[in-house]
Amino acid sequence: MRRVLTAAAALLLLLTGCAAGDEGPDDGVVRLRFQSLAWQKESVDANRQLVKEWNAAHPDVQIDYVQGSWDSVHDQLLTSFEGGEAPDIIHDASDDLADFAYGGHLADLRTLLPERLRADIPARSWETTTFGEGIYGVPFLQEPRVIIANRKILESSGVRVPTPEKPWSWSEFRQITQDLTRAMGPGGYAVAWPLKEPVSVSLNLGLSAGGRLFHREDDGRGTVRFTEADAVVPGTVHDQVVTDRTAPRTTLGSGGSDTLPGFFAGKYAMVPLGFAYRQQIAQQAPEGFEWTVLPAPAGSAGLTQGVSPQTLSIAEDSPYKKEAAEFLDFFLRPENMVRLARGDWMLPTGAAALAHPSLHTPEDGWATGAALAAHLRPAPAQSVRGYPEWKDKVATPAFQEYYSGAIDAAELSRRLVVDGNRVLARYQRK
């Protein structure tokens, strides 16, 4: 009987150890899992090197690097939260945090983050990760939209080349594309719009023209209103494709990378893309191909555009929130934020990192991007409940049909507003 009891006690201890999760051996070392979504080689290398440097300097708090994927992160995190298996430190984007923050899965960082980090990142960036009264992520990388242009075509045409100090207006941009298309001759287009995901492009660039689309009513409800300002950017794209024929219809369903072969071949003079696409262009452009980075057109609100920064959060269920926050403080020191930004070919949110000379060189358009940083604002739909369904079921098909010429502006407005508000209303019932 004594042997049976001893064996039973040993089995119970073993089972207890298994139920404790993956905290590792009982050696007094705190082990934290950091799930990163870095995917470009330079970015992965920078992330892994920083983890290596932390581990070498902190033998009592070790970070395990876990590779995640942008393609599946939302569903993967949802499953891991519900199963109690979420990583301690979570890399994501600000527009994906709302459900997790309101669902109680992310830690409120207000009392965890050092004042240095809080003060270094501008308030407008913190707005992207603030839900209710809490802060549920550290916004650390951001990506403005720019225009990548074929330098030779642009200069030979004689059109005015814009700068952040003197950008094109949206009306001038339309005229420029007409002049460029004529100069290029048959088979050429001034601009190719890759609009496989049309909603974020339309809303974020729409801020430059004073568009908001989403409005907060006096009773706190969020509603959609499509104003004259909201119509400026979509109207420009529509007219370039349908009326002026200065942009091809064929790229409307494409991703950014899909347009690069035609761009390199001189079929398109310009392609509006996210800032990080510069890496692909620098690596894939044929020898002798000259390209330049231009600011997106400006409207009544200047160069303003919306962004959803990349973020780092801490799981609410993590037993080591203090240690996780200390790692974030190290990971996002100004010199490290510069390394992460250059690895991802994006802009850092931190003021000290953004001032680094390497981010203000003309080479590869860094200076143009840095000049846009002060004009970046939270994406219009950042905290709108029901936005994912509105985007997928209403806005995406409506914008796609409008840009292709299948529906007119009145029908676009009706769908976004009437059909859209029906969707939002379901999320705001009391």
Side-chain angles (χ1 to χ4, degrees):
M1 179 62 71
R2 185 179 295 111
R3 286 196 299 270
V4 171
L5 291 175
T6 301
L11 179 60
L12 179 61
L13 181 61
L14 176 62
L15 292 174
T16 303
C18 291
D22 54 358
E23 296 179 5
D26 187 16
D27 55 6
V29 176
V30 172
R31 288 180 169 81
L32 301 173
R33 286 185 299 151
F34 165 37
Q35 178 171 293
S36 170
L37 301 180
W39 63 277
Q40 301 181 96
K41 183 181 184 304
E42 293 177 55
S43 180
V44 172
D45 289 347
N47 276 260
R48 287 188 175 276
Q49 181 59 32
L50 286 173
V51 168
K52 182 178 179 181
E53 292 173 14
W54 167 276
N55 286 342
H58 300 82
D60 294 335
V61 180
Q62 294 289 286
I63 305 296
D64 294 330
Y65 183 95
V66 179
Q67 186 62 59
S69 169
W70 285 107
D71 293 337
S72 58
V73 65
H74 183 86
D75 291 341
Q76 179 259 322
L77 284 175
L78 187 61
T79 300
S80 65
F81 283 134
E82 292 176 348
E85 296 293 333
D88 300 274
I89 301 163
I90 298 163
H91 182 188
D92 204 349
S94 61
D95 59 357
D96 192 42
L97 298 186
D99 288 345
F100 300 139
Y102 287 120
H105 299 303
L106 301 177
D108 184 350
L109 303 179
R110 286 178 296 174
T111 61
L112 294 170
L113 297 177
E115 180 57 30
R116 176 206 69 79
L117 186 57
R118 290 283 298 274
D120 186 48
I121 296 175
R124 62 179 179 272
S125 293
W126 286 115
E127 289 176 20
T128 66
T129 58
T130 299
F131 302 94
E133 298 296 321
I135 295 175
Y136 296 94
V138 183
F140 72 108
L141 293 179
Q142 54 192 345
E143 183 181 22
R145 289 195 172 271
V146 294
I147 296 176
I148 310 295
N150 183 314
R151 184 190 297 274
K152 289 183 178 179
I153 293 178
L154 206 64
E155 292 178 350
S156 65
S157 71
V159 302
R160 184 180 78 82
V161 178
T163 65
E165 295 73 30
K166 293 185 177 181
W168 289 327
S169 67
W170 283 101
S171 59
E172 185 182 8
F173 177 51
R174 182 183 175 190
Q175 181 60 55
I176 289 291
T177 57
Q178 293 174 7
D179 296 340
L180 266 178
T181 300
R182 281 194 294 269
M184 292 175 69
Y189 294 92
V191 60
W193 283 97
L195 291 174
K196 185 177 182 179
E197 300 289 342
V199 181
S200 63
V201 177
S202 306
L203 268 61
N204 289 339
L205 289 180
L207 288 182
S208 67
R212 291 173 52 195
L213 204 64
F214 293 97
H215 299 262
R216 188 71 61 184
E217 304 298 337
D218 292 340
D219 61 3
R221 292 182 302 111
T223 58
V224 179
R225 293 203 297 271
F226 192 76
T227 68
E228 190 174 315
D230 293 301
V232 171
V233 172
T236 301
V237 178
H238 170 276
D239 290 345
Q240 288 173 329
V241 174
V242 178
T243 306
D244 304 336
R245 307 288 178 87
T246 57
R249 204 180 254 103
T250 53
T251 65
L252 293 177
S254 302
S257 298
D258 300 326
T259 61
L260 295 185
F263 177 60
F264 295 147
K267 186 176 181 179
Y268 319 126
M270 301 181 290
V271 185
L273 294 168
F275 197 52
Y277 274 94
R278 295 171 305 125
Q279 182 187 42
Q280 281 185 256
I281 293 170
Q283 293 175 346
Q284 298 175 13
E287 186 175 353
F289 184 84
E290 297 182 18
W291 56 280
T292 187
V293 178
L294 311 176
S300 61
L303 289 168
T304 301
Q305 60 174 278
V307 291
S308 297
Q310 292 188 24
T311 58
L312 293 170
S313 301
I314 298 174
E316 175 61 28
D317 287 345
S318 174
Y320 303 115
K321 295 184 184 67
K322 175 178 174 292
E323 291 83 356
E326 290 171 352
F327 172 72
L328 292 187
D329 183 34
F330 160 81
F331 195 73
L332 299 178
R333 288 175 182 172
E335 63 272 23
N336 293 341
M337 201 181 282
V338 172
R339 292 163 66 181
L340 293 167
R342 290 192 64 84
D344 245 333
W345 288 62
M346 291 189 179
L347 298 178
T349 58
L354 187 61
H356 195 274
S358 69
L359 303 182
H360 293 262
T361 64
E363 183 182 4
D364 295 330
W366 280 106
T368 298
L372 299 177
H375 303 279
L376 303 181
R377 298 292 182 269
Q382 194 70 54
S383 60
V384 176
R385 304 299 299 273
Y387 170 73
E389 183 179 345
W390 176 85
K391 180 186 75 171
D392 293 341
K393 294 184 178 180
V394 177
T396 294
F399 275 118
Q400 287 174 336
E401 291 183 46
Y402 176 62
Y403 289 143
S404 69
I407 62 174
D408 60 14
E411 177 62 12
L412 171 68
S413 176
R414 189 198 68 77
R415 291 195 193 181
L416 295 178
V417 176
V418 178
D419 296 348
N421 281 327
R422 287 198 193 105
V423 170
L424 298 189
R426 292 203 304 271
Y427 290 81
Q428 301 180 90
R429 290 172 182 161
K430 296 181 180 180

